[in-house]
Amino acid sequence: MSNLADPGLLAAWLAARSIARGLALPVPDHGGWRVDTDLPGEIRRHVFAGPCSGISALAAAIHGPHIYIKMCGDGEQLLGLLPPRWQLCPGGYFMTHEGTLQAPDLPAGYRLEITTSQVITTARILAEDGGVAASGHAVEYAGVFVFDRIATEAGHRRRGLGRALMAALAARQRSASARRVLVATDDGAKLYASLGWHSESPYSTATIVQAGIPCSLSGS
């Protein structure tokens, strides 16, 4: 596992992620990319393929919260490029997958719904009472097939729903050459590794934290 991601792959993932979430496309900034998110708790994010001098220059000019710097590399490596007012958030992993994703049968009482609108595919697994047990999205764009916001509700875990959901999304991939990419939390990475995903790099996050408000991964 390298501490430096392929910049082109990271840029394509970030663009596809923005499309999946209805955000502005990333623009080059300080040697990385900026996404103006304008979300509650997040004004914008800056994403870098690895350590560079632009991170330090950028961080020195930021003095308020709700702006995130994200970098492929170890958290301490990122923190070393930042002024003391910055703090690390929980980390994740930039991951890729090759080969097939096996689709297990859904347990009795569950059913799958999947739709594609333009380039965004949405999958939901519904429980017998009609409630959403698992959900996720995928976008194929610029040579990547990106999985985003994959989640299984607490009362429905350890039943193979996540595997079934990811396989259903992967079945909508049009180009065999598109690379499958996602960013996982620390816990999620363990599940994805069991499904054949490979960690390309740690994915670290830092921000200026408001007093009394804990830092979060802020949506990867």
Side-chain angles (χ1 to χ4, degrees):
M1 181 170 60
S2 168
N3 279 343
L4 178 67
D6 175 346
L9 184 63
L10 182 67
W13 164 76
L14 188 59
R17 178 194 182 278
S18 294
I19 291 170
R21 300 192 180 205
L23 301 174
L25 288 175
V27 295
D29 192 350
H30 284 82
W33 299 272
R34 185 188 79 245
V35 179
D36 296 311
T37 52
D38 294 323
L39 297 170
E42 180 180 327
I43 299 168
R44 66 180 183 271
R45 60 178 52 199
H46 297 264
V47 182
F48 296 84
C52 68
S53 59
I55 294 176
S56 297
L58 170 68
I62 297 172
H63 298 274
H66 309 314
I67 298 171
Y68 290 82
I69 293 179
K70 295 169 178 282
M71 184 193 82
C72 289
D74 294 328
E76 292 303 318
Q77 196 175 24
L78 172 58
L79 201 60
L81 297 170
L82 306 175
R85 59 182 175 272
W86 287 78
Q87 296 182 31
L88 285 179
C89 301
Y93 294 90
F94 186 65
M95 305 185 76
T96 59
H97 182 275
E98 296 181 1
T100 59
L101 285 167
Q102 298 297 326
D105 292 332
L106 286 175
Y110 291 94
R111 60 187 175 90
L112 172 71
E113 289 185 349
I114 187 162
T115 58
T116 299
S117 175
Q118 297 181 334
V119 296
I120 305 172
T121 297
T122 299
R124 301 192 309 164
I125 296 176
L126 304 179
E128 200 163 14
D129 63 1
V132 177
S135 62
H137 307 267
V139 168
E140 187 167 354
Y141 178 78
V144 296
F145 189 85
V146 167
F147 295 79
D148 187 56
R149 288 169 291 164
I150 306 298
T152 301
E153 299 304 316
H156 301 277
R157 292 173 185 166
R158 302 187 182 280
R159 302 180 188 180
L161 301 187
R163 292 172 182 262
L165 187 80
M166 303 240 348
L169 288 169
R172 294 297 180 98
Q173 181 174 328
R174 298 186 305 275
S175 171
S177 63
R179 295 192 67 184
R180 295 180 190 142
V181 188
L182 58 75
V183 166
T185 63
D186 193 40
D187 287 340
K190 298 171 185 175
L191 168 65
Y192 296 130
S194 73
L195 300 179
W197 287 78
H198 171 72
S199 292
E200 298 288 339
S201 168
Y203 185 73
S204 300
T205 298
T207 192
I208 298 172
V209 179
Q210 275 185 301
I213 300 178
C215 185
S216 69
L217 186 59
S218 185
S220 303

